Amino acid sequence: MTLHDDVVSTLSGWRPADAAQESLRQAYLGFLAARDDVCRRECAAGHITASAVLLDTDAENVLLTLHPRVGRWLQLGGHCEPGDATLADAALREAREESGIEDLLIEPVPVHLDVHPITCSLGVPTRHFDVRFAVRAPRGAQPVQSDESDDLRWWPVNSLPKGSEDLAELVEAALPATSAG
């Protein structure tokens, strides 16, 4: 199974909680049906990315990165790589790379979708078709900032940093997915 096949399977099997997310899911599936290169960052029309909403053990805090290109606090995540077998693998790899935390647990079902315009590593305007997963850190996990971040820190889920209020819906979507852990 290719990564493209996994993305189609993952999104085909997911049932979002609201109409807006369902509309995005349908748009993603249409884009995936039209192109076989959407999992590669070289796809200038837009490409699938994978994000991780990394919560602490008790789901009281979320780990956010101060993104150097975007200049604001965001969830962890990024481009799919050729070695990623699944979309969840891509999100988990990104979470490990950007947090420095091993032994992360991922819920393999997406919690949220978002399409946003960006000028990423291609150097030209494109779109990220971001698929977001809930990830849980082990108790006592201490993040280690990578060179992909200007800052990295835990924020209370109900008190996100100024300028990142749009992440509240995403964090809220991730909470039920991790409540069983």
Side-chain angles (χ1 to χ4, degrees):
M1 178 182 283
T2 67
L3 181 57
H4 186 279
D5 293 338
D6 176 74
V7 176
V8 170
S9 175
T10 297
L11 293 177
S12 293
W14 179 52
R15 295 298 172 253
D18 64 55
Q21 287 290 295
E22 175 59 19
S23 179
L24 277 176
R25 184 182 80 88
Q26 293 295 331
Y28 278 48
L29 289 170
F31 191 48
L32 285 154
R35 301 186 65 112
D36 62 2
D37 62 345
V38 299
C39 295
R40 296 194 304 264
R41 74 174 76 202
E42 296 82 15
C43 182
H47 39 270
I48 299 289
T49 55
S51 287
V53 184
L54 181 51
L55 298 164
D56 65 3
T57 305
D58 299 317
E60 294 174 355
N61 298 289
V62 60
L63 189 65
L64 299 178
T65 180
L66 184 57
H67 196 283
R69 256 191 214 140
V70 180
R72 54 183 293 250
W73 292 98
L74 299 173
Q75 76 281 358
L76 309 178
H79 293 104
C80 297
E81 300 291 342
D84 295 327
T86 68
L87 193 54
D89 288 345
L92 190 57
R93 175 188 49 74
E94 286 287 340
R96 286 183 183 130
E97 288 174 2
E98 293 183 14
S99 73
I101 301 172
E102 296 296 324
D103 301 324
L104 298 174
L105 298 174
I106 189 167
E107 291 296 326
V109 177
V111 296
H112 195 263
L113 302 175
D114 183 70
V115 179
H116 49 271
I118 191 163
T119 299
C120 62
S121 56
L122 292 173
V124 297
T126 186
R127 292 174 296 169
H128 280 174
F129 289 78
D130 201 28
V131 181
R132 290 128 171 226
F133 294 85
V135 178
R136 186 70 68 94
R139 188 163 304 283
Q142 295 297 315
V144 177
Q145 185 177 326
S146 74
D147 60 359
E148 296 183 42
S149 178
D150 283 343
D151 198 354
L152 182 71
R153 68 174 82 153
W154 294 107
W155 293 91
V157 296
N158 59 358
S159 183
L160 299 176
K162 186 173 175 67
S164 63
E165 294 81 3
D166 61 323
L167 294 179
E169 177 184 326
L170 170 59
V171 172
E172 188 70 24
L175 292 174
T178 61
S179 63

